[in-house]
Amino acid sequence: MSKKYSLHSRAGFLSTKTVLFLSLIFSVLFTQNVAVAQDADGIPTDEAIISAGEKLFKANCTVCHDVNDKVIGPALRDVHKRRNLAWIQAFVKNSQKVIKSGDEYAVNLYNEYNKTEMTAFDFSDEEIASIVGYIKVESGKEVVVAAEESTAAAGGASTEQEPSQFVNTIMIVLLIVLVLILAVLAMIITMLKKYLSQKEDLSEEDREIAEQTFDMGALVKSNAFLGLAAFIFTAIIMKSAIDGIFTIGVQQGYQPDQPIAFSHKIHAGDYKIDCNYCHTGVRKSKNANIPSPNICMNCHSSIKTESPEIQKIYAAIENNEPIEWVRIHNLPDLAYFNHSQHVQVGEIECQTCHGPIEEMEKVSQYAPLTMGWCINCHRETDVNTKGNDYYNKLVEMHSEHSKEPMKVEDIGGLECSKCHY
């Protein structure tokens, strides 16, 4: 019995040693894998982590920072060379704590930027490291010269205008050709009349035809001319009436004055502030929502405080009154539209519906937002199926019948109940 117990004990001891040995191996392997995903400074190099850092940076940091340019705060290019990762993590979590500790670099930075307090972010060390990884990758890229960007932008604009200019050119050329043809015909008729009038053996009937002159008064009084004029007039009136009926409720181009002269060109264009920073509901709600004054105050508590427009924000907060923004994009109650479905799942850019919003000093309704406009979009837009297992079966079934990419209309995008319920 004791011998049997001893054997069992030894077997148990060996098993424990084996488990410990395997655990040690797995621990070493895991440590090696982690090391592979980081550089010597602990900054991630894995593409997935850097991609996640890019999303965090664009959603939270672009309000005050850019990689290459000063915005509200300093440019972040090569920030990993100026400060170590641990310092950056501490500063992002609570910059005031680092400044009050007497850190010379932090104090100088605070004073250089007019003692503007940086927002404290509740990020984990791993999330901050992923942001630094993204900044490091961007820092390794060449800085695009502004002149080249403006040239490219000008080229892009001319490309967009090219089709309409081409059509106008063709119309002008055709009009010139038509005028030339009419001039040649008039010359031929004149020459023929002159030739016929000189012939002596011409009969009276033919001579009458050859010598007849154009009578505008008779033409205008003729039944044929009056009937044609009446038809054209009626057609124009009916076309105008039909166009007017179709534009009822369509507010394309609507550009009302707002209580505060907010410039999307400055905020979204010049400073490249992400739309989602102010319109916080766009990725998680049906409505994009209008930003509350406290979002404005994140920056304007210390920036342009003397501006008359910014003073209006202060007044609204002090009087506990809402800012009465004028709504521009307004769908009828019978139509359902969900921002998060389009922006978060479909990854549709804001400019698709709102136009070049980053270029607008004063916002106007860019698209007609009609039923036909929406349906055409569903017919032409590919479904974003990448990384979404929900669509796997649908893609498989679609590929059996078509080689074309799966469109929104292929998954019920034209069903009435999708938008009308």
Side-chain angles (χ1 to χ4, degrees):
M1 185 73 176
S2 60
K3 185 177 180 181
K4 190 173 182 180
Y5 176 79
S6 177
L7 286 173
H8 276 286
S9 299
R10 184 174 296 179
F13 176 70
L14 290 172
S15 299
T16 303
K17 284 171 61 179
T18 304
V19 170
L20 290 172
F21 178 70
L22 290 173
S23 299
L24 180 62
I25 291 174
F26 288 140
S27 176
V28 171
L29 289 174
F30 178 76
T31 304
Q32 288 179 343
N33 286 337
V34 171
V36 171
Q38 297 177 345
D39 63 11
D41 298 321
I43 299 173
T45 57
D46 183 82
E47 289 185 5
I49 296 176
I50 291 171
S51 177
E54 179 182 6
K55 291 180 180 178
L56 284 171
F57 180 84
K58 290 183 176 178
N60 300 277
C61 308
T62 52
V63 177
C64 301
H65 296 283
D66 186 73
V67 175
N68 299 309
D69 300 311
K70 288 184 178 181
V71 187
I72 295 169
L76 299 181
R77 188 178 185 86
D78 293 328
V79 67
H80 59 285
K81 295 180 181 179
R82 300 194 293 272
R83 299 284 93 186
N84 61 44
L85 182 59
W87 188 96
I88 296 172
Q89 289 169 333
F91 193 82
V92 170
K93 288 182 178 180
N94 194 337
S95 62
Q96 287 301 303
K97 183 178 179 181
V98 178
I99 293 167
K100 290 176 182 178
S101 71
D103 185 277
E104 183 180 357
Y105 187 88
V107 172
N108 291 338
L109 197 66
Y110 182 59
N111 292 330
E112 181 183 353
Y113 288 89
N114 301 320
K115 297 186 177 182
T116 302
E117 293 187 16
M118 176 177 168
T119 304
F121 289 95
D122 187 23
F123 289 152
S124 66
D125 288 343
E126 291 77 13
E127 288 174 326
I128 298 172
S130 70
I131 294 173
V132 177
Y134 165 70
I135 294 171
K136 182 179 179 181
V137 170
E138 291 298 305
S139 299
K141 298 177 181 178
E142 284 189 33
V143 180
V144 179
V145 181
E148 293 179 359
E149 289 182 343
S150 61
T151 303
S158 63
T159 303
E160 291 178 1
Q161 295 173 1
E162 187 175 346
S164 60
Q165 291 178 351
F166 181 69
V167 172
N168 291 338
T169 303
I170 291 177
M171 295 298 293
I172 292 170
V173 170
L174 289 176
L175 183 62
I176 293 172
V177 170
L178 179 61
V179 170
L180 290 174
I181 291 173
L182 290 174
V184 170
L185 287 174
M187 290 174 62
I188 292 173
I189 291 171
T190 303
M191 291 174 64
L192 287 174
K193 283 185 175 182
K194 187 176 181 181
Y195 170 74
L196 291 173
S197 63
Q198 292 175 351
K199 291 189 69 175
E200 297 179 355
D201 58 342
L202 201 63
S203 66
E204 291 296 327
E205 292 181 357
D206 292 338
R207 187 174 296 280
E208 185 181 349
I209 294 173
E211 293 178 353
Q212 69 179 358
T213 57
F214 179 73
D215 188 353
M216 179 61 73
L219 175 64
V220 171
K221 294 177 181 178
S222 66
N223 292 333
F225 181 84
L226 293 174
L228 180 62
F231 174 78
I232 293 173
F233 178 78
T234 305
I236 292 173
I237 294 297
M238 290 184 66
K239 177 67 167 58
S240 300
I242 292 171
D243 288 345
I245 292 171
F246 274 107
T247 56
I248 292 176
V250 177
Q251 298 182 347
Q252 187 175 15
Y254 178 52
Q255 192 178 43
D257 293 329
Q258 299 290 355
I260 297 175
F262 178 86
S263 171
H264 278 79
K265 183 180 184 298
I266 292 174
H267 292 79
D270 297 344
Y271 292 122
K272 295 180 173 55
I273 297 175
D274 186 26
C275 301
N276 303 295
Y277 180 80
C278 298
H279 301 285
T280 55
V282 73
R283 294 189 179 277
K284 57 187 179 182
S285 171
K286 172 187 174 183
N287 301 309
N289 74 275
I290 297 171
S292 59
N294 70 302
I295 293 180
C296 307
M297 295 304 292
N298 286 341
C299 297
H300 289 296
S301 58
S302 56
I303 296 172
K304 281 189 169 293
T305 55
E306 302 303 319
S307 167
E309 299 300 320
I310 304 303
Q311 289 294 322
K312 294 178 183 178
I313 302 176
Y314 297 161
I317 295 172
E318 290 171 1
N319 298 326
N320 196 26
E321 294 177 351
I323 300 171
E324 297 182 358
W325 300 101
V326 180
R327 185 166 187 167
I328 298 173
H329 303 86
N330 192 17
L331 293 178
D333 293 340
L334 55 86
Y336 175 82
F337 178 84
N338 190 306
H339 271 88
S340 62
Q341 185 177 8
H342 289 77
V343 177
Q344 181 69 19
V345 180
E347 295 187 355
I348 302 298
E349 296 291 337
C350 303
Q351 288 82 352
T352 303
C353 301
H354 296 291
I357 195 78
E358 72 282 2
E359 299 174 5
M360 296 183 186
E361 285 285 356
K362 184 178 177 183
V363 175
S364 64
Q365 182 173 315
Y366 175 80
L369 303 182
T370 59
M371 179 174 173
W373 185 82
C374 295
I375 286 176
N376 284 339
C377 185
H378 284 191
R379 286 173 176 159
E380 297 168 359
T381 304
D382 296 342
V383 179
N384 179 27
T385 61
K386 186 177 179 181
N388 193 334
D389 295 340
Y390 173 82
Y391 293 110
N392 288 349
K393 188 63 177 178
L394 291 172
V395 172
E396 180 183 339
M397 295 172 64
H398 178 77
S399 59
E400 292 176 358
H401 302 90
S402 175
K403 294 182 180 179
E404 297 293 324
M406 188 166 69
K407 307 289 185 183
V408 177
E409 69 170 338
D410 297 322
I411 59 171
L414 302 187
E415 293 178 7
C416 302
S417 58
K418 293 289 183 183
C419 303
H420 307 291
Y421 57 94

